[in-house]
Amino acid sequence: MRKWAVAAASVVALTGLAAGPWASAQAKTLVYCSEGSPENFNPMLNTTGTTFDANRTVYNRLVQFKHGTTEVVPGLAEKWDISPDGKVFTFHLRHNAKWQSNSHFTPTRGFNADDVIFSFERQWKENNPYFKVSGGSYDYFGDMGMPDLLDKIEKVDDYTVRFTLKQPNAPFLADLAMDFATIQSKEYADKLLKDGHPELIDQEPIGTGPFELVQYQRDATIRYRAFKGYWGPKPHIDSLVFSITKDPAVRLAKLRAGECQVAVYPNPADLPAIKADPKLQLLSQPGLNIGYLAFNVTKKPFDDVRVRRALAMAIDKKAILAAVYQGAGQPAKNLIPPTMWSYNNAVEDYKYDPEAAKKLLAEAGFPDGFETDLWAMPVQRPYNPDARRIAELMQSDLAKVGVKAKIVSYEWGEYRKRIQNAEHQMAEFGWTGDNGDPDNFFVPLAGCAAARIGGGNISKWCNKEFEDLVQKASAITDQAERAKLYEKAQVIMHDDEPMFLIAHSVVYMPMAKNVVGYTMDPLGSHEFDDVDLK
């Protein structure tokens, strides 16, 4: 990416990220110790929280979630109407949203309907000139079945857009508050296309959000400044810096040294010391998440449900929770967490029983076990604080029933690409919900559309009975009726065991005492437009 020249007042030296001098009367800078680099600056193309966080500061969506909740509130659309049959959504756009600028683009107009049409058709229409730019892999859009759901998107006038669906879809409005529904500038896209550099739209973003990108140095820093033309309440801070720090121990050290004011994903073992530190505060809440081990059902021997059930009984889940989560997680028996409506508490988890596992393996034709791979994530997430350690514990348990597992890992981007392409036999993965609807777990993680090569359903499990229940639930508006269908779907998933479900975790957020206005988000996002420094 090209590095932009910026005014000295906007630049923070790469050495010495201490916050003291910045929090002056003249300028306030908040430093956030994040866990990794974004894959790019377009959330349409990815499904990782690291990328979402880096983009959420810059962009807006038609509708958004009220900070700290799953309540849908106006964004770039001031209001909306839904037809009685639930198939037509008409959005009335705000007139006062301005586009940001950079060294090679100055907008000549504000946000309007053309930008909405472009942003969705880019992901939907193969004849759109941007469809294949930056690889053209729109994971969420495809995994959620948007190409089959959308009938048409029409510009009624410059500030009115109409979405028509092929059938009713209860989660649709909440889905549009998700990051894949980010709105990009069509004028910026047209200019880059004319200049012969369309890929820059995903590297040097132009948005309507509270902050604009100043500079990005991979694996080091992302620098933003408050956008003076922002349509919403102005941020309290003048500059925002993501200090990219992969090691949780180093993040905590920076926090204690004042080199950052907010740090993400502490080690569970460090929580007592953080709580005892008078210079720090520790926020926490139950996570809307799941950590799991996916069995690739398209590869032997995991095409046999008896093998999948045997391994579920061979792994000591309680030992993993005790050794790795250390009180910051609870054992999972369903894909959705127990805080989510429609959770089926009547499902009984597989019990740890190595002897029963051996018998089932013998019944499946593997009396002496077999060899397999076991992929371990290279990153830390709330739903999986230490994937390598979990893999080692699983490896030890599986060896006791004759299954020899070789631990495999890759760089995070490569890891995700390979497991989505079904190269693994078993792989650790996880999820933090995006909108508070069960559909957001069942469809992208276990739905048939997402089981395609390249899709986010890494078990590649496609069960017609499960699929029919989930699709039927999405077309019903009555939540109680939807819940009954999801409860049945959870039983089917448990019985077929495409994944060994590990844990739902508590999410912790340590920060300096002088940070005010930060709200923990049940959807796992980290947003700073309401944050101030005392």
Side-chain angles (χ1 to χ4, degrees):
M1 178 190 292
R2 293 181 297 194
K3 297 295 187 290
W4 300 343
V6 293
S10 298
V11 177
V12 181
L14 286 177
T15 57
L17 286 173
W22 304 342
S24 64
Q26 290 76 29
K28 289 183 181 179
T29 296
L30 178 80
V31 183
Y32 165 57
C33 277
S34 64
E35 82 284 12
S37 296
E39 289 144 302
N40 50 45
F41 283 91
N42 181 357
M44 302 174 188
L45 297 164
N46 301 287
T47 63
T48 64
T50 309
T51 296
F52 290 166
D53 284 343
N55 283 278
R56 210 173 277 119
T57 59
V58 174
Y59 290 113
N60 293 121
R61 297 160 297 287
L62 287 174
V63 293
Q64 302 178 167
F65 294 114
K66 182 179 179 181
H67 284 356
T69 76
T70 58
E71 178 189 348
V72 176
V73 297
L76 290 174
E78 291 182 313
K79 59 182 180 178
W80 52 88
D81 307 310
I82 305 173
S83 64
D85 64 2
K87 294 198 292 186
V88 181
F89 292 70
T90 304
F91 294 93
H92 305 278
L93 311 181
R94 65 176 61 253
H95 293 237
N96 63 333
K98 298 178 180 179
W99 289 105
Q100 301 160 4
S101 60
N102 58 31
S103 60
H104 50 277
F105 173 72
T106 301
T108 64
R109 63 165 176 82
F111 157 78
N112 67 24
D114 292 333
D115 304 310
V116 178
I117 302 293
F118 164 74
S119 298
F120 283 91
E121 288 196 344
R122 172 182 178 174
Q123 303 176 74
W124 183 27
K125 303 291 188 180
E126 293 189 21
N127 62 354
N128 186 285
Y130 272 83
F131 183 77
K132 293 184 179 179
V133 170
S134 303
S137 178
Y138 306 103
D139 291 347
Y140 261 119
F141 196 81
D143 288 358
M144 295 171 67
M146 284 290 167
D148 296 324
L149 176 64
L150 291 172
D151 182 25
K152 54 187 175 181
I153 305 176
E154 302 168 285
K155 175 182 175 180
V156 179
D157 57 45
D158 279 350
Y159 294 98
T160 312
V161 178
R162 181 186 298 127
F163 287 68
T164 303
L165 311 183
K166 293 178 182 176
Q167 63 268 344
N169 185 267
F172 184 70
L173 189 64
D175 289 346
L176 293 190
M178 291 165 53
D179 293 88
F180 83 92
T182 282
I183 305 300
Q184 294 184 319
S185 165
K186 184 178 187 301
E187 185 182 19
Y188 183 41
D190 289 344
K191 183 181 186 301
L192 291 176
L193 197 65
K194 182 179 178 181
D195 293 345
H197 295 287
E199 74 285 351
L200 293 183
I201 196 172
D202 304 324
Q203 300 170 12
E204 301 178 4
I206 292 293
T208 56
F211 295 93
E212 55 187 338
L213 181 68
V214 174
Q215 187 187 55
Y216 171 47
Q217 184 173 354
R218 186 172 180 82
D219 295 332
T221 52
I222 315 174
R223 306 182 188 284
Y224 307 89
R225 61 182 162 223
F227 176 39
K228 293 180 180 179
Y230 180 48
W231 55 267
K234 300 300 185 285
H236 301 291
I237 55 176
D238 302 286
S239 300
L240 173 64
V241 178
F242 282 30
S243 178
I244 299 167
T245 312
K246 296 181 179 180
D247 190 316
V250 177
R251 289 198 296 271
L252 180 56
K254 285 185 175 183
L255 184 64
R256 284 175 166 155
E259 294 178 14
C260 58
Q261 290 80 51
V262 182
V264 74
Y265 308 149
N267 276 324
D270 292 329
L271 294 174
I274 295 171
K275 291 176 182 177
D277 193 325
K279 296 180 181 180
L280 302 179
Q281 56 180 315
L282 183 66
L283 306 186
S284 67
Q285 69 176 15
L288 205 67
N289 59 36
I290 178 70
Y292 59 88
L293 177 72
F295 303 123
N296 185 346
V297 302
T298 68
K299 287 189 175 182
K300 292 184 179 298
F302 299 104
D303 57 342
D304 190 328
V305 66
R306 294 172 296 182
V307 172
R308 302 194 296 268
R309 289 176 180 170
L311 267 58
M313 292 187 286
I315 299 172
D316 189 344
K317 189 179 297 187
K318 289 183 180 179
I320 291 174
L321 268 289
V324 179
Y325 292 83
Q326 299 184 32
Q330 59 181 302
K333 62 180 182 179
N334 292 312
L335 191 62
I336 61 174
T339 53
M340 181 172 279
W341 63 270
S342 82
Y343 180 83
N344 190 342
N345 197 42
V347 168
E348 290 189 18
D349 200 5
Y350 292 96
K351 295 180 180 178
Y352 173 57
D353 190 339
E355 291 306 314
K358 287 180 183 178
K359 291 179 181 177
L360 202 52
L361 284 173
E363 183 183 318
F366 299 97
D368 301 317
F370 56 88
E371 294 184 1
T372 182
D373 57 38
L374 198 172
W375 292 38
M377 294 162 48
V379 295
Q380 183 194 29
R381 290 290 185 271
Y383 54 72
N384 192 327
D386 191 338
R388 181 79 189 191
R389 178 63 177 141
I390 289 177
E392 291 169 349
L393 291 169
M394 289 180 171
Q395 182 185 51
S396 177
D397 285 342
L398 294 176
K400 296 171 185 175
V401 297
V403 176
K404 298 177 181 178
K406 179 183 178 182
I407 298 175
V408 176
S409 193
Y410 295 91
E411 177 273 330
W412 183 224
E414 186 69 14
Y415 183 94
R416 289 181 56 249
K417 177 182 176 181
R418 287 175 178 265
I419 60 174
Q420 287 181 217
N421 286 337
E423 294 182 21
H424 62 289
Q425 288 178 286
M426 299 191 297
E428 289 182 75
F429 210 43
W431 187 259
T432 296
D434 296 285
N435 62 19
D437 194 293
D439 181 87
N440 179 244
F441 280 73
F442 296 129
V443 171
L445 300 184
C448 290
R452 74 191 193 285
I453 294 298
N457 174 353
I458 66 166
S459 292
K460 305 306 173 188
W461 179 69
C462 177
N463 180 296
K464 187 179 186 304
E465 189 179 1
F466 175 91
E467 182 76 7
D468 288 348
L469 287 168
V470 170
Q471 292 302 323
K472 184 178 179 181
S474 71
I476 298 172
T477 56
D478 184 274
Q479 190 176 101
E481 291 301 311
R482 293 182 71 203
K484 292 177 183 177
L485 296 172
Y486 288 136
E487 288 169 7
K488 292 178 181 178
Q490 289 166 75
V491 173
I492 293 167
M493 188 172 185
H494 169 268
D495 291 347
D496 217 22
E497 193 64 9
M499 310 168 186
F500 174 73
L501 303 173
I502 304 170
H504 310 288
S505 75
V506 176
V507 179
Y508 290 92
M509 201 73 179
M511 58 190 69
K513 281 283 190 183
N514 68 328
V515 175
V516 295
Y518 184 89
T519 303
M520 288 198 72
D521 191 284
L523 306 175
S525 69
H526 304 101
E527 300 181 72
F528 301 96
D529 46 308
D530 289 341
V531 177
D532 200 356
L533 298 170
K534 287 192 294 186

